[in-house]
Amino acid sequence: MSAWETNTTLEDIAAFLADKECIVVVTHARPDGDAAGSSLALVRALNRASKTRRASVWFTGGVPAWLDTLAGDAPFHTLEGDKTPDVDADAVVVVDTGSWKQLDHIAEWVRERGEITSVIDHHLEGDPDVAPRLHIAKTCAAAVQPVCELVLEILGLDSPSQLPVSIAELIYTGLATDTGWFRHSNVSPAVFTLAGQLLEAGVNHPKLLATIDQGDRPARLRVMAEALGSLELHDRDRVATMILTKEAIHRAGAGSSDTGGFSELGLKIASVRVSVMLTEVELASNGPATKISLRSKAGPGMIDVNEVAKKLGGGGHANASGARLGVPIEQAKPQILAAILEYEKDHP
Ligand SMILES: [Mn+2]
């Protein structure tokens, strides 16, 4: 029984990929800045290192509005419906996840290519049978941190400050977005050192901020208003919940790619220790479901939302995690509130 732990160095993954020609990079469904940044940076580096290689990213489950601008001419595909990568891959790399659930409808496609697959991730939980080669950087704020090391290995560079700016800005995007633009408790000396080196490489911070954090469609703010309008406080105002039904998303004129990133809004309230966002989703594989996104404040009395999410089959990080339940929101909400209460009972 293998464990969700690193069993391969990035040097070994670089060596495994060195003679591969058709490399498919995938990440979790509905990619965020870290998923997009880490996957696109890796294909840029792989294709730069070999003239004949064809490495590309295959995204699933709806992509953010800024993806085209961020990607530029980096090769990527967006898989609609239940489509899978239609290339003859000789290597597969999974970044920013290692969870069958998060791979959604391409999980089976990845499973069939187990022998040639590698995982590079930073989440505390995952499925060790996704790949024989696992590099799990659990202390890293973002998947782009280990991916940056791999990219340096592939390109034979000593420092992130030497990276081509087209790769540096993808890595910076993952670092900035997974730390909430350097605000969350996962910032560290390593995060700021890497950010500084990437700025030295020529990253334009205001340009990326404008593209990604200030690049929303109006519908995204309307759907954010729907989420905020649903705000409820529970457990002596320590727990905030917000919900987004498909009907509310439709009312706002938004799509599923407009709904991410609202869970932390509840933490703005002084009394709130944990904020829960419940979103009605349709999984390609098995009908209506609820996506639960959890955020908590660090410090004394911290609620470890990785532990809370694990009770519902999910996971992530201590202050940011998530789960998916195959039930409607009205059933998912009491389940997550009960899981938080249970955690608090066990950690008085
Ligand atoms: Mn990430």
Side-chain angles (χ1 to χ4, degrees):
M1 185 64 193
S2 55
W4 180 247
E5 300 287 347
T6 292
N7 63 14
T8 315
T9 63
L10 293 168
E11 289 76 10
D12 286 342
I13 292 178
F16 177 79
L17 296 174
D19 63 347
K20 305 299 187 290
E21 289 288 303
C22 179
I23 302 176
V24 166
V25 179
V26 295
T27 182
H28 56 81
R30 293 164 37 107
D32 57 8
D34 192 31
S38 53
S39 55
L40 291 165
L42 183 55
V43 300
R44 274 201 184 279
L46 286 166
N47 288 334
R48 208 179 171 93
S50 161
K51 288 259 177 296
T52 54
R53 180 180 281 146
R54 303 167 318 282
S56 54
V57 185
W58 299 73
F59 293 114
T60 59
V63 295
W66 41 257
L67 185 69
D68 282 323
T69 310
L70 179 74
D73 61 1
F76 76 88
H77 308 263
T78 304
L79 291 165
E80 306 290 346
D82 58 0
K83 290 205 171 72
T84 53
D86 59 351
V87 288
D88 195 9
D90 52 17
V92 178
V93 186
V94 180
V95 295
D96 198 31
T97 185
S99 145
W100 290 122
K101 250 190 202 175
Q102 290 200 323
L103 288 171
D104 199 8
H105 80 267
I106 56 166
E108 219 33 58
W109 185 90
V110 173
R111 202 187 286 275
E112 286 161 9
R113 285 154 186 81
E115 284 311 303
I116 57 168
T117 302
S118 308
V119 169
I120 301 162
D121 191 19
H122 69 126
H123 291 91
L124 298 177
E125 309 297 331
D127 298 315
D129 59 334
V130 170
R133 282 162 295 275
L134 304 174
H135 190 91
I136 319 300
K138 293 183 188 178
T139 60
C140 284
V144 289
Q145 290 172 273
V147 165
C148 182
E149 285 179 48
L150 177 61
V151 161
L152 295 179
E153 188 71 28
I154 290 168
L155 296 177
L157 299 175
D158 298 323
S159 162
S161 62
Q162 300 166 329
L163 284 169
V165 67
S166 63
I167 294 178
E169 64 185 9
L170 292 166
I171 292 170
Y172 191 88
T173 296
L175 202 58
T177 53
D178 261 21
T179 56
W181 294 89
F182 308 104
R183 293 188 312 127
H184 293 157
S185 57
N186 57 0
V187 295
S188 64
V191 164
F192 285 114
T193 299
L194 178 55
Q197 290 167 326
L198 295 168
L199 290 170
E200 280 175 32
V203 167
N204 182 335
H205 174 92
K207 186 189 90 176
L208 285 176
L209 185 77
T211 301
I212 291 156
D213 195 50
Q214 301 167 334
D216 288 339
R217 305 192 301 136
R220 180 164 155 84
L221 262 72
R222 281 196 286 271
V223 78
M224 188 189 288
E226 292 279 354
L228 288 169
S230 74
L231 177 77
E232 284 177 5
L233 296 172
H234 311 262
D235 186 19
R236 291 163 292 138
D237 297 350
R238 293 159 53 83
V239 180
T241 60
M242 289 181 284
I243 63 166
L244 270 181
T245 60
K246 277 199 286 190
E247 193 197 336
I249 296 167
H250 181 76
R251 196 161 50 228
S256 65
S257 61
D258 296 309
T259 61
F262 299 153
S263 50
E264 70 174 86
L265 292 171
L267 295 181
K268 287 189 174 289
I269 299 166
S271 60
V272 169
R273 306 306 302 161
V274 56
S275 175
V276 183
M277 181 75 229
L278 298 115
T279 308
E280 188 178 355
V281 291
E282 190 99 45
L283 290 186
S285 38
N286 42 15
T290 301
K291 178 182 176 243
I292 300 176
S293 179
L294 299 162
R295 297 291 182 276
S296 68
K297 285 178 186 160
M302 181 190 90
I303 294 173
D304 183 334
V305 290
N306 177 51
E307 292 300 321
V308 173
K310 269 164 71 177
K311 294 175 191 290
L312 302 177
H317 311 281
N319 296 125
S321 72
R324 268 168 197 259
L325 297 182
V327 297
I329 287 180
E330 57 271 27
Q331 287 175 38
K333 195 155 113 184
Q335 285 188 37
I336 182 63
L337 289 173
I340 293 167
L341 275 181
E342 190 183 302
Y343 173 89
E344 291 196 289
K345 237 176 244 154
D346 295 343
H347 302 81

